[in-house]
Amino acid sequence: MARKSPTKEPAAPPKVEESMTGTTVFNVPLPADTKALKGMSPIVVKQPYHIDYIHSYGQDSPFFAGLSNGKLLGTKCGKCDYTYATPRLACTQCGRETRWVELPQSGRVHTFTTCYFGGEEFLKETPFHLVLVEFDGVDTLFLSRLVGPAGPEEIRIGMKVTAKFRRNSQLKSSDVYFVPAG
Amino acid sequence: MRPVYMVSGGVSKFAKSRPDATFQKIVKESFDYAVNDVPKLKRSMIDGSVVSYFSDHFTRQLMAGIMAVDYLGLCPKPNKRIEGGGATGGLCFQAGWEAVASGRMNVCAAFGFETMSHVPTWKGNEFIALASDVSFDYPVGGFYSGYYAMMVNRHMHEFGTTVEQLAMVSVKNHMNAYGNPYAQKRRKLTIADVRNSAMVAYPLTLLDICVMSDGAATCILADEETAFRLTDRPVKITGVGTGTDMMRMADRPHAEVLLAPNEKKSDYRNLKYPGVHSFRAGRSAGLQAYRMAGITDPLKQLDFVELHDAYTSSEIQTYEDLALCKYGDGGKFVEAGYPFMPQIDYGMKLPMKGTLPVNPSGGLIACGHPVGATGLMQAVFAFWQIQGSIKKHYGSGELQLKKADRGLIHSHAGTGTYVTVSIMERGW
C-alpha cells in the first residue's frame, strides 16, 4: 500500500471559536421610503435548538448490555451460517431470525483513518483513529476506535488489534475500542 | 412508458451562504431561469412538480418542499418531496422522469435545494453524520470524511492507488470550475496545494473534499410532443438506473463482481466485491442505465460524465463502478489523462489528451454540494453541454465540449447507499 505520512502537521481545530453572538438589537431602523426596502440588509437571528432524544436500541439492546459486561456480541444465522459483527436480528441473506453469539475479542485492521476533524460533538476528541476490524470466522466488519498509535504512520492494514472496554459503561457503541495487540 | 426529454434547466449561483434570500427565493432563481430559457413554455403548461432536499435539520423547517412550490405559484398542482441523502437530486430527476414517462404529466418541473449555511460547518458535518447508523457508527465519532478515508485506504492497499492520483482529481475539477460562473470554488491548484492543505481524515485533505453550500437547481422535463413544441434542441433521457447498498459499509458482503458488458469473469478472479473499496449500488445503477440506453462500451460510447465527486477518492472509485475502466484501475485512469478536458491547461503534464471528460462543470468538489440541488445541477450542466449552449449560459465557450452528444449523470448517497445513473442524449 502506498503509505505516506501526512505532508503537514495536522491542523488543530480553530483556536478562536467562531461566535454566533453579536450585538443585541432591539430596534431595526426602517427607511421611510418603501422603495428602499428591497435594498435593506437581511436580518439574521439566532435560533437555539436543544432536544433530549429518547433513543431505544430495541432488538439490538443485548449488544449494549454485552459491552457493559466486557463482551462483544454479534449474531449468526442458523440457516446460512452468516455471522454479523455488528448485530442484525434478521439475516440479510435469507431473512430468518439470527441468534446471539460471542465474537472474538481480537482481530485485524481491515482499514483505518485518522480524523483531524469530525462532527461537532467529536471535535474535542480529535485527532482520533477509526478502524474497521475483521475477525476470523465473521463475515462482516466492525467499526470502532483504535487507541494507542500516535498517527496514521503507526497503523497498518492487517495489524492485530484487541478489544478493550470502558470501565464506566455509557451504553454506547463507544464502550468498546481497540488497541494494538501484544 | 413513453420517451422523456429535458427541455430546460436553471441553476442558482452556488455559494457558501445566501443571507440575502430564503430557500424559496433561491429555488425561484433557478426555476425562473429555466422557464425563461424556453419562451414558448408558459407556467400554466407545467402539470406538476417534484422537489428534493436532504435534511430538515439544516433549515429547521419541516415541509419546506411545499413552501418552495407555493412560492413558485405551482399550487394546487401535484407535488411530492424526494429524499435520499446525497442522491436526493438524482432521485428527484428520475422521479420527474417517471412522472412524464408514466403519462401522469406532460410537463414536470423537478427542482431541489439545500441551504446548509444555517449552521457552522462542523455542526453541518454532524447533521450529515446522522445519515449513518446512529446506534453503532455515529457514536464512535463516525462521519463521512472518515468513512471515505477508510474506504480509500483500503483501495490504496488493494490496488496501489496513490494520494497524488486523488489530488489530480481535485486539480482537474477545480480547474474546470474556473470557467463556470455558477461554481462556488474557482481555483487553479497544484497537486502540492492539495496535499499541503489541512488533513481532515487521513489521507483526505480539505481539498479532496467538497464543501457545504447554499443553492438550487431546476430541470423541466416533458413528453416528446411537448418537448419539440417548446424547443428545437430537447435532450432525451435514454437510460435510468438506481442501486442500493447497506447503510453500514462494515456490512458490505464479499461476493462476485456484477459484470459490465465489456468485462469478463476472469478479470476479477481474486477480487472480493464490493468490499469497502467499491460501490455495488453504483455498478448496479450504471448497468441498468446502460442496458436501457443500449450502451455496451461506456468509455467509447459516452462523450462526458458528470459524477458525484464528494471526495476525490469517490470519483476514482466511481470510474470503476461505471466500467469506464476495470475495478482497481481508477487511479491509473486519471493519471493517464482520460477524464480531463482536452482544451484546458491544467498545469500538469498528462500522457494523453482527455477522451472522456469527467466533471466538466467542476463537480461537487468545486461547484459546491447543496445536497438536494446537486443531482439536478449535474443534469442542467449536462443539458447545456449536449445542447451546445455552454457559451450562452456561462458567458464563455471555453468549457463547451466539441462532441457532447451523449452524457451520463450520477448521484450518490451515504457510503454508496443509494446511487442513481441517468443517460442524456441529443434528442434532435
Side-chain angles (χ1 to χ4, degrees), chain B residues 302-328:
Chain B
L302 292 170
D303 295 321
F304 70 95
V305 169
E306 286 283 349
L307 66 79
H308 194 97
D309 57 327
Y311 300 91
T312 51
S313 52
S314 60
E315 173 159 329
I316 283 178
Q317 290 166 292
T318 298
Y319 298 151
E320 302 171 2
D321 299 319
L322 296 177
L324 308 181
C325 61
K326 286 199 171 37
Y327 274 113

Side-chain angles (χ1 to χ4, degrees), chain B residues 50-59 61-65 79-96 98 111-114 127-132 144 242-244 247 369-373 376 411-414 417-420:
Chain B
V50 279
V51 57
S52 67
Y53 56 104
F54 160 52
S55 177
D56 299 301
H57 294 61
F58 282 111
T59 37
Q61 169 67 65
L62 303 192
M63 288 184 77
N79 174 268
K80 66 183 164 195
R81 174 196 182 173
I82 308 294
E83 192 279 318
T88 293
L91 288 165
C92 183
F93 182 76
Q94 295 189 347
E98 284 158 8
F111 39 82
F113 66 91
E114 210 77 43
F127 288 164
I128 296 168
L130 296 175
S132 63
Y144 272 92
T242 309
T244 55
M247 169 68 113
H369 183 20
V371 185
L376 294 154
S411 197
H412 171 120
T417 312
Y418 283 129
V419 183
T420 74

Side-chain angles (χ1 to χ4, degrees), chain A:
Chain A
M1 162 183 175
R3 285 175 49 82
K4 290 232 171 108
S5 309
T7 47
K8 202 183 153 188
E9 280 296 301
K15 290 224 168 65
V16 182
E17 285 276 318
E18 201 178 316
S19 169
M20 295 295 282
T21 51
T23 309
T24 304
V25 175
F26 293 97
N27 290 295
V28 179
L30 200 64
D33 181 0
T34 51
K35 281 184 194 144
L37 285 174
K38 280 192 179 168
M40 198 179 108
S41 300
I43 295 173
V44 179
V45 296
K46 190 175 173 178
Q47 294 178 327
Y49 187 47
H50 174 88
I51 302 173
D52 283 327
Y53 275 98
I54 313 298
H55 181 72
S56 171
Y57 292 128
Q59 78 286 354
D60 299 330
S61 297
F63 173 80
F64 297 90
L67 294 186
S68 61
N69 288 284
K71 285 190 192 303
L72 201 51
L73 298 176
T75 58
K76 190 180 180 82
C77 176
K79 186 173 175 237
C80 313
D81 258 5
Y82 207 83
T83 309
Y84 298 89
T86 312
R88 287 174 175 269
L89 263 289
C91 178
T92 54
Q93 313 289 308
C94 70
R96 294 213 179 171
E97 194 173 332
T98 58
R99 62 186 160 84
W100 289 98
V101 290
E102 203 168 327
L103 295 175
Q105 297 207 352
S106 55
R108 291 171 304 279
V109 171
H110 184 79
T111 189
F112 70 97
T113 184
T114 303
C115 301
Y116 299 96
F117 289 95
E120 189 174 86
E121 185 182 343
F122 301 102
L123 274 183
K124 58 186 182 300
E125 296 171 21
T126 57
F128 58 81
H129 314 298
L130 294 176
V131 285
L132 286 173
V133 180
E134 56 183 42
F135 302 103
D136 283 335
V138 178
D139 294 288
T140 69
L141 306 168
F142 187 77
L143 174 66
S144 194
R145 290 264 187 108
L146 180 67
V147 175
E153 61 285 347
E154 292 181 21
I155 310 171
R156 60 183 176 76
I157 287 177
M159 76 190 267
K160 289 183 177 162
V161 291
T162 309
K164 291 264 187 196
F165 298 86
R166 266 191 222 267
R167 272 185 303 158
N168 294 320
S169 166
Q170 298 174 343
L171 292 171
K172 286 185 184 173
S173 55
S174 51
D175 283 353
V176 64
Y177 57 94
F178 285 78
V179 297

Side-chain angles (χ1 to χ4, degrees), chain B residues 16 48 61 67 125 130 153 169 192-193 204 217 220 256 286 317 319 377 384 405 412:
Chain B
K16 181 173 171 51
Q61 169 67 65
M67 295 174 73
N125 255 276
L130 296 175
N153 273 329
V169 172
D193 291 334
L204 298 175
I220 311 282
E256 285 188 3
Q317 290 166 292
Y319 298 151
M377 167 229 8
W384 290 341
D405 291 344
H412 171 120

